[in-house]
Amino acid sequence: MTVTVLDGKKLSAEIKTELKEEVQRFQQTYQRAPGLVVVRVEGDAASGVYTKAILRIAKELGVEASVEALPAETTTEELRDALLRLNRDPAVHGVIVQMPLPEHLPQRLVAETLAAEKDIDGISLQSAGNLALGFPSLYPSTAAAVVEILERTQTPIEGKRVVILGRSNVVGKPLALMLLQRNATVTICHSRTQNLSEVMRESDILIAAVGRPTMVKAEMVRPGATVIDVGTNARPEGGIVGDVDYASVSEVAGALTPVPGGVGPLTNVMLMKQCIEAAWRQERERARA
């Protein structure tokens, strides 16, 4: 069986072309660019790298992006005040708070404070509630990237059996709800799932998001299944590897995302897409007010 490689880099380039045109239309309509602020509390080196990547793609698309840099000793009151100020700022259409936060700053504070209409990574309580209830929402960007890959590659979802490995709040849980809305039959597996390999082999679409290097082997995959690898695990010798054993699974899967080059390239693109969508929505609401 010849596997179809689901090329995230190619899809990312296509979407960025569309988003550049969308930003130009927004600028022509409102005489300014969509505004994005990345809130970063010092202390985690990896989040600094991620912030630079967001700023780079924002500049490429024409989104006006900046960083709200806060010291590691920032208090809960100071973080809350910063978020409330950004909530009120009409020039800011999207806000993302870099995780992880220092231990003394609870993620729940962000979820409770960040305005849902600016929550472009879908972590606020209202965003999560809207998703659960099937209302229009902004989504966690990685989960949105997985759905984007499936839809843009015209992978059938309706009526299909989907198995998701991992129940995180940013991938597994929201992704299950997003696919349920598209009429898939969804099973979430985790560390306590019994007969895991048997459950996995029942899937038409298998999504691995557990953070365990090359956990998914060929014998766990139904022949012809679509396999989406969300994992990004650092290798001791350098580079990254996914949750899927690409070499063996590519012999049985019908379609498969590589790591790197699969879901990863689309994650920040989906952040930008949702920021632009949020900008349109907010400006239209202001015009109606």
Side-chain angles (χ1 to χ4, degrees):
M1 180 179 294
T2 301
V3 68
T4 298
V5 178
L6 304 179
D7 189 342
K9 291 182 179 179
K10 180 180 178 181
L11 293 174
S12 174
E14 293 174 0
I15 299 168
K16 284 194 286 188
T17 298
E18 297 169 8
L19 294 181
K20 287 177 184 178
E21 295 174 355
E22 194 68 21
V23 168
Q24 290 173 358
R25 285 195 292 270
F26 184 90
Q27 291 176 315
Q28 290 168 0
T29 304
Y30 296 108
Q31 287 72 57
R32 60 175 172 173
L36 166 66
V37 173
V38 181
V39 178
R40 179 172 182 261
V41 183
E42 299 293 337
D44 182 76
S47 73
V49 175
Y50 189 42
T51 296
K52 290 179 181 178
I54 294 173
L55 296 178
R56 185 166 57 248
I57 190 171
K59 182 178 181 180
E60 181 181 352
L61 298 179
V63 173
E64 188 68 36
S66 62
V67 179
E68 179 89 7
L70 301 173
E73 59 272 16
T74 295
T75 66
T76 55
E77 292 77 14
E78 289 169 337
L79 178 56
R80 182 182 292 107
D81 288 345
L83 294 176
L84 290 173
R85 173 170 45 79
L86 294 172
N87 287 348
R88 295 189 297 266
D89 189 340
V92 177
H93 300 104
V95 178
I96 178 171
V97 180
Q98 289 287 39
M99 301 293 174
L101 293 169
E103 290 185 1
H104 68 282
L105 295 175
Q107 183 176 338
R108 185 178 179 90
L109 168 66
V110 179
E112 292 176 336
T113 307
L114 184 57
E117 65 269 18
K118 299 188 179 187
D119 173 29
I120 61 170
D121 206 18
I123 66 169
S124 72
L125 298 184
Q126 186 174 336
S127 296
N130 285 341
L131 176 56
L133 294 171
F135 298 154
S137 180
L138 294 169
Y139 308 111
S141 56
T142 303
V146 172
V147 174
E148 193 80 9
I149 288 174
L150 293 173
E151 293 187 334
R152 284 188 177 256
T153 57
Q154 299 181 339
T155 302
I157 298 174
E158 183 170 349
K160 299 301 182 179
R161 179 71 183 271
V162 179
V163 171
I164 301 173
L165 304 180
R167 52 181 169 179
S168 73
N169 291 331
V170 294
V171 183
K173 291 177 184 177
L175 184 52
L177 291 167
M178 294 169 73
L179 293 172
L180 279 172
Q181 290 177 4
R182 290 160 174 80
N183 299 315
T185 299
V186 182
T187 300
I188 299 181
C189 296
H190 46 78
S191 59
R192 302 294 187 272
T193 299
Q194 297 182 6
N195 303 317
L196 178 60
S197 293
E198 294 179 17
V199 176
M200 292 165 62
R201 281 196 298 270
E202 295 176 357
S203 63
D204 301 299
I205 300 171
L206 177 62
I207 301 165
V210 289
R212 292 179 59 184
T214 63
M215 168 192 168
V216 179
K217 308 296 184 182
E219 61 270 18
M220 301 174 178
V221 176
R222 178 179 178 176
T226 295
V227 181
I228 307 294
D229 191 351
V230 183
T232 52
N233 309 284
R235 296 189 299 182
E237 64 272 23
I240 61 172
V241 66
D243 291 348
V244 175
D245 181 7
Y246 188 93
S248 70
V249 171
S250 64
E251 297 294 324
V252 297
L256 175 62
T257 58
V259 175
V263 176
L266 268 73
T267 300
N268 285 344
V269 174
M270 297 311 297
L271 272 178
M272 295 301 112
K273 181 179 181 180
Q274 296 199 122
C275 182
I276 296 163
E277 291 173 354
W280 279 111
R281 196 173 298 128
Q282 289 166 48
E283 293 300 334
R284 286 165 179 160
E285 286 293 327
R286 291 192 188 106
R288 285 194 290 264

